[in-house]
Amino acid sequence: AELCEHFAIEDRIMLKLNEAMLVRHSTWSSDMEKLWEELANARSPAGLLMAKIRQMAEGTFVGKVQAPKEVQRIIDKYHLDKDARTKLTGFICSRKESMEGDLFEIEKRLDNCGNPS
C-alpha cells in the first residue's frame, strides 16, 4: 500500500500487485526493493508496475539481487554506473541458462564502446 500510495497507483493495480505478491513470500523484500527502485525512475509508474506484475505472473521478474561474480567483474572492469549495473544484473539473472554466452557478447560490445555507461 505504501508503494502504491507514494506513486499514486490506482486501487485496481494495487490489488493486482497484492495478488502477485501473495505467492512471492521468499522474495518479497527483494521484489519490493526492486519495484521501489524502478518506479522511482519511471515516466509512468502505473504502466511500469503493470508490466512488472505481468513479469511476476510469467515468472520472469527478478527482484533486487546481488550481482553474480562474473557480472561484478564486468561492472568493475568497465566502471558501469548504478543504472547499467542494475539492468545488467537483472538481465543476466533472468537468463541463467545463457549467462555465459550473454556475458561474452556483452563484454565484446563493451570492449568497443567509448563510454559503456
Side-chain angles (χ1 to χ4, degrees):
E2 186 182 334
L3 175 89
C4 293
E5 196 173 293
H6 180 82
F7 293 105
I9 305 293
E10 57 191 86
D11 289 348
R12 71 178 180 81
I13 297 174
M14 180 175 65
L15 292 172
K16 287 180 187 277
L17 174 62
N18 186 48
E19 222 174 88
M21 295 302 291
L22 284 175
V23 296
R24 299 181 67 87
H25 298 290
S26 62
T27 60
W28 193 90
S29 27
S30 67
D31 291 347
M32 290 306 291
E33 190 176 343
K34 178 76 167 190
L35 290 173
W36 273 97
E37 186 178 286
E38 292 202 6
L39 293 180
N41 299 316
R43 282 181 293 171
S44 170
L48 181 61
L49 183 56
M50 280 304 298
K52 297 301 172 186
I53 293 169
R54 259 190 305 285
Q55 288 177 356
M56 287 178 192
E58 295 164 356
T60 59
F61 179 80
V62 178
K64 183 85 173 173
V65 291
Q66 184 71 26
K69 184 174 50 175
E70 303 87 352
V71 174
Q72 189 61 51
R73 182 185 61 75
I74 290 175
I75 289 169
D76 295 340
K77 180 178 178 180
Y78 296 99
H79 309 290
L80 300 181
D81 64 21
K82 183 179 179 186
D83 189 43
R85 277 188 294 230
T86 300
K87 287 179 180 173
L88 178 62
T89 302
F91 173 73
I92 293 300
C93 289
S94 69
R95 296 172 46 101
K96 289 188 187 293
E97 69 284 342
S98 62
M99 180 168 78
E100 191 176 315
D102 291 341
L103 287 173
F104 175 79
E105 290 296 324
I106 289 167
E107 191 162 13
K108 193 165 69 172
R109 284 164 178 74
L110 289 173
D111 277 337
N112 297 316
C113 182
N115 183 12
S117 274

